[in-house]
């Protein structure tokens, strides 16, 4: 028989029941939710766009693997042997530690008849005298060729699957061309109407303004700019940034003496819907240290000769004891819609030489006639390429032409048919 008073026993039972109830409530809140259990209350998380790290076009190894993954057979006319024969070259494959890290595009596909930006990245030990180039089957000629690591490729008018080959080569003299490394890029060309193409290209893009050698201003441009919640930038050199506004500045290391191409990726978050993405390319030309003389210098003066001719006086000096051999001029025509057409010309066809001062130095002039250009061309930029005695690339650039204003759209009256 218990000696505890009944009131005490009652209080004890109440305390035990209350303690068990509190314990069950705590376990229901703390433990993860299970089937049929009480779900844990979670705080809402703020979505922050992540900096994209994957390349636009993943690196591919052998062409056999690429052919299996492409689901479309690789035509015989894009093989290295076929393109060399179309260019009337003698192809020689050279052993080299140079390799192609990856090929990239500024968008995953191209519109029929439109342009797409391509860029190649090369790794391994640098080879003296190595040249970069893009080759592909031509529409008017058997093959087309564009020098350099970047290419504004004009898609054919017919939709389909097309291939462009990127090569690292050496000139072996005569018609012999040595191939150090090469890779094939597959491009899907789609049939998109004007509205669809404009809508796709106009969602988000990156405008680039170069402020100094290696220093750039990047600006995100979108019709939805007011609703974008943040901008995550990847500058392609291992540096990243996050900005609430659409602009960011970045400076690249210019101590290396070669020309490097960087891929700039932007991911912009928005309140509703999936994040927007854009890709752009920048090329950075290395500078020697300030105590090391430049291999060549350029002095330029411009004069507009009436309305029919723009003339640039060019003076190139090569300090002793250096010697530079000039090879070609790469001319880029920048349109008002920021599209770029680039092609290569013999340098003496661009520069009218009045005097040669030795070791690669010269005085001359460059003329551009506006009547020879489409009205959509905003600016013409020339880059003179050559090599010094050690085989290192030397280049000088200048603007040969610039329009002050974009062409005006015709008025409504002008578009009406004549009566």
């Amino acid at each position: 028989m218990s000696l505890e008073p009944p009131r005490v026993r009652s209080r004890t039972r109440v305390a035990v029941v209350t303690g068990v109830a509190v314990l069950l409530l705590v376990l229901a809140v703390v433990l993860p939710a299970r089937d049929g259990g009480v779900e844990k209350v979670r705080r809402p998380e703020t979505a922050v766009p992540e900096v994209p790290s994957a390349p636009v076009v993943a690196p591919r190894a052998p062409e056999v693997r690429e052919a299996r993954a492409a689901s479309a057979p690789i035509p015989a006319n894009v093989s290295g042997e076929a393109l060399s024969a179309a260019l009337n070259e003698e192809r020689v494959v050279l052993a080299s530690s140079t390799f192609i890290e990856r090929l990239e595009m500024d968008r995953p596909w191209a519109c029929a008849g439109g342009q797409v930006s391509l860029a190649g990245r090369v790794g391994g030990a640098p080879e003296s005298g190595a040249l970069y180039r893009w080759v592909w089957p031509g529409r008017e000629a058997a093959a087309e060729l564009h020098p350099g690591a970047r290419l504004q490729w004009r898609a054919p008018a017919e939709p389909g699957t097309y291939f462009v080959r990127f090569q690292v080569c050496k000139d072996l003299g005569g018609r012999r061309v040595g191939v150090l490394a090469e890779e094939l890029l597959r491009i899907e060309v789609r049939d998109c109407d004007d509205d669809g193409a404009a809508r796709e290209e106009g969602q988000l893009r990156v405008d680039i303004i170069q402020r100094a050698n290696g220093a750039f201003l990047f600006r995100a441009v979108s019709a939805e700019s007011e609703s974008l919640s943040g901008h995550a930038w990847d500058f392609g050199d291992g540096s990243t940034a996050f900005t609430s506004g659409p602009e960011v500045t970045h400076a690249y290391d210019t101590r290396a003496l070669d020309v490097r191409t960087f891929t700039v990726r932007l991911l912009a978050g928005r309140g509703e819907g999936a994040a927007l993405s854009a890709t752009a390319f920048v090329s950075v030309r290395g500078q020697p240290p300030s105590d090391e003389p430049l291999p060549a210098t350029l002095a330029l003066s411009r004069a507009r000769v009436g309305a029919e001719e723009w003339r640039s006086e060019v003076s190139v000096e090569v300090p002793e004891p250096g010697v530079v051999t000039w090879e070609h001029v790469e001319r880029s025509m920048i349109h008002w819609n920021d599209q770029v057409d680039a092609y290569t010309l013999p340098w003496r066809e661009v520069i009218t030489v009045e005097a040669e001062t030795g070791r690669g130095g010269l005085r001359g002039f460059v003329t551009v006639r506006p009547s020879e250009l489409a009205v959509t061309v905003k600016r013409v930029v020339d880059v003179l390429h050559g090599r010094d005695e050690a085989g290192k690339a030397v280049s000088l650039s200048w603007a040969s032409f610039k329009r002050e204003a974009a062409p005006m759209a015709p008025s409504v009256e002008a578009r009406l048919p004549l009566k």
Side-chain angles (χ1 to χ4, degrees):
M1 181 175 180
S2 174
L3 299 178
E4 184 179 0
R7 183 176 298 175
V8 174
R9 289 199 302 271
S10 176
R11 287 200 299 269
T12 302
R13 286 195 296 271
V14 171
V16 171
V17 172
T18 304
V20 172
V22 171
L23 179 59
L24 291 175
L25 180 61
V26 171
L27 291 175
V29 174
V30 174
L31 291 179
R34 298 184 179 182
D35 294 342
V38 179
E39 184 178 358
K40 178 183 174 182
V41 179
R42 301 177 183 270
R43 295 183 179 179
E45 297 180 356
T46 303
V48 177
E50 298 180 356
V51 176
S53 57
V56 178
V57 177
R60 291 175 294 275
E63 293 180 11
V64 176
R65 287 185 52 193
E66 183 183 37
R68 292 174 181 173
S71 74
I74 298 179
N77 63 342
V78 299
S79 68
E81 293 77 8
L83 290 171
S84 292
L87 295 171
N88 195 27
E89 296 175 346
E90 182 182 342
R91 173 185 169 92
V92 180
V93 179
L94 302 177
S96 172
S97 60
T98 298
F99 64 91
I100 298 171
E101 291 182 350
R102 62 177 178 262
L103 304 180
E104 297 179 318
M105 300 167 57
D106 65 348
R107 61 179 63 94
W109 49 269
C111 287
Q115 282 190 331
V116 62
S117 296
L118 313 179
R121 287 201 177 189
V122 177
E127 291 272 1
S128 175
L131 302 172
Y132 304 152
R133 69 179 192 176
W134 299 83
V135 290
W136 65 97
R139 292 184 289 272
E140 298 179 358
E144 297 186 41
L145 182 150
H146 179 82
R150 297 176 59 186
L151 168 65
Q152 290 284 338
W153 187 71
R154 175 73 67 179
E158 294 295 327
T161 301
Y162 295 87
F163 297 88
V164 180
R165 184 172 291 272
F166 179 69
Q167 296 178 324
V168 183
C169 301
K170 267 188 174 182
D171 185 359
L172 302 180
R175 295 189 300 107
R176 300 175 71 243
V177 174
V179 179
L180 303 172
E182 61 182 348
E183 187 151 347
L184 201 61
L185 177 63
R186 181 174 68 94
I187 303 176
E188 293 294 335
V189 176
R190 300 182 181 180
D191 187 8
C192 44
D193 54 45
D194 293 339
D195 293 338
R199 191 162 53 247
E200 177 69 23
E201 296 180 359
Q203 281 190 339
L204 183 68
R205 74 173 191 270
V206 178
D207 283 353
I208 303 171
I209 301 173
Q210 187 169 8
R211 291 181 164 176
N213 186 38
F216 296 86
L217 168 70
F218 300 104
R219 178 184 296 121
V221 179
S222 171
E224 305 179 30
S225 57
E226 295 182 357
S227 63
L228 297 181
S229 59
H231 303 77
W233 302 86
D234 183 342
F235 302 110
D237 62 348
S239 302
T240 60
F242 183 85
T243 61
S244 57
E247 293 186 354
V248 67
T249 59
H250 182 67
Y252 293 91
D253 186 359
T254 59
R255 288 175 293 182
L257 297 184
D258 58 344
V259 179
R260 293 168 296 159
T261 299
F262 296 97
T263 303
V264 180
R265 297 184 180 88
L266 168 62
L267 193 64
R270 49 183 178 174
E272 297 180 359
L276 300 177
S277 62
T279 305
F281 301 120
V282 294
S283 291
V284 177
R285 193 175 306 281
Q287 285 183 329
S290 57
D291 57 349
E292 183 178 334
L294 293 170
T297 59
L298 171 71
L300 184 73
S301 62
R302 300 184 183 91
R304 185 173 181 178
V305 184
E308 294 301 321
E309 184 176 288
W310 279 69
R311 181 176 172 126
S312 300
E313 302 288 341
V314 176
S315 178
V316 176
E317 292 188 6
V318 178
E320 294 182 351
V323 176
V324 175
T325 302
W326 302 113
E327 298 174 346
H328 61 271
V329 167
E330 184 177 5
R331 170 160 286 185
S332 300
M333 293 186 292
I334 300 105
H335 296 259
W336 288 102
N337 62 358
D338 293 329
Q339 295 294 329
V340 179
D341 295 327
Y343 53 92
T344 300
L345 296 168
W347 72 273
R348 289 183 180 272
E349 288 187 11
V350 177
I351 304 175
T352 301
V353 178
E354 297 177 312
E356 297 191 27
T357 57
R359 303 185 307 279
L362 60 95
R363 291 193 307 273
F365 60 89
V366 178
T367 58
V368 175
R369 293 176 176 81
S371 59
E372 299 173 350
L373 304 174
V375 294
T376 58
V377 174
K378 172 175 59 174
R379 191 158 46 110
V380 175
V381 176
D382 289 330
V383 182
L384 175 62
H385 292 277
R387 295 192 175 274
D388 63 12
E389 290 180 298
K392 293 183 179 179
V394 180
S395 62
L396 302 170
S397 62
W398 63 88
S400 298
F401 174 77
K402 181 179 179 182
R403 279 195 172 99
E404 301 299 329
M408 296 181 60
S411 62
V412 176
E413 292 79 4
R415 293 198 299 268
L416 294 176
L418 296 175
K419 296 182 180 179

